[in-house]
Amino acid sequence: MASYQFSYDSKGCRKVFKTYRHQEKIIKKTIEKQLTRQMDTDFAKVKLATRIEVEGNKCYECRVNPPQLPPVRVAFIRDENQVKIVYLTTNIVKADFTHDLEHFLGGK
């Protein structure tokens, strides 16, 4: 099992972390645990989030279900053992998520 360094884009994650500020640690822990598992199993449940490259990397997405909280959809990039959470939302409908993500990336 590899060790990954996680970072979070403050602008892309702000809305969820502000809404659930008291559960931020739980959300981060759940995301990191799920993404580590996904990367160790060669992205079994991970899809390409958008064709737009982020910082020269492909952007992937997956759904994460934190305990006692609504599910979140996570967009992230990976460069070796560095994982950056680019965008986080409770809108889990794939088409809406992709639209919102591309709007966010275009506005950066």
Side-chain angles (χ1 to χ4, degrees), residues 26-98:
I26 294 169
I27 294 170
K28 285 182 176 181
K29 182 179 175 185
T30 306
I31 289 170
E32 292 169 14
K33 183 178 176 184
Q34 169 119 5
L35 291 183
T36 298
R37 188 175 332 127
Q38 291 300 321
M39 288 181 281
D40 287 344
T41 60
D42 253 357
F43 291 137
K45 293 186 179 187
V46 172
K47 301 174 191 132
L48 203 57
T50 179
R51 293 185 177 158
I52 299 171
E53 285 196 352
V54 179
E55 298 174 14
N57 295 294
K58 290 182 179 180
C59 186
Y60 299 98
E61 63 89 7
C62 76
R63 179 178 163 165
V64 176
N65 299 311
Q68 283 122 21
L69 292 170
V72 293
R73 198 170 283 271
V74 179
F76 65 97
I77 58 173
R78 177 182 171 197
D79 188 13
E80 299 293 322
N81 287 348
Q82 303 290 319
V83 179
K84 182 174 184 179
I85 310 304
V86 178
Y87 188 71
L88 198 57
T89 184
T90 54
N91 185 354
I92 60 168
V93 177
K94 173 71 167 121
D96 295 342
F97 168 78
T98 301

Side-chain angles (χ1 to χ4, degrees), residues 8-17 85-88:
Y8 294 81
D9 183 291
S10 58
K11 187 176 177 188
C13 300
R14 179 186 313 141
K15 186 176 179 183
V16 171
F17 287 153
I85 310 304
V86 178
Y87 188 71
L88 198 57

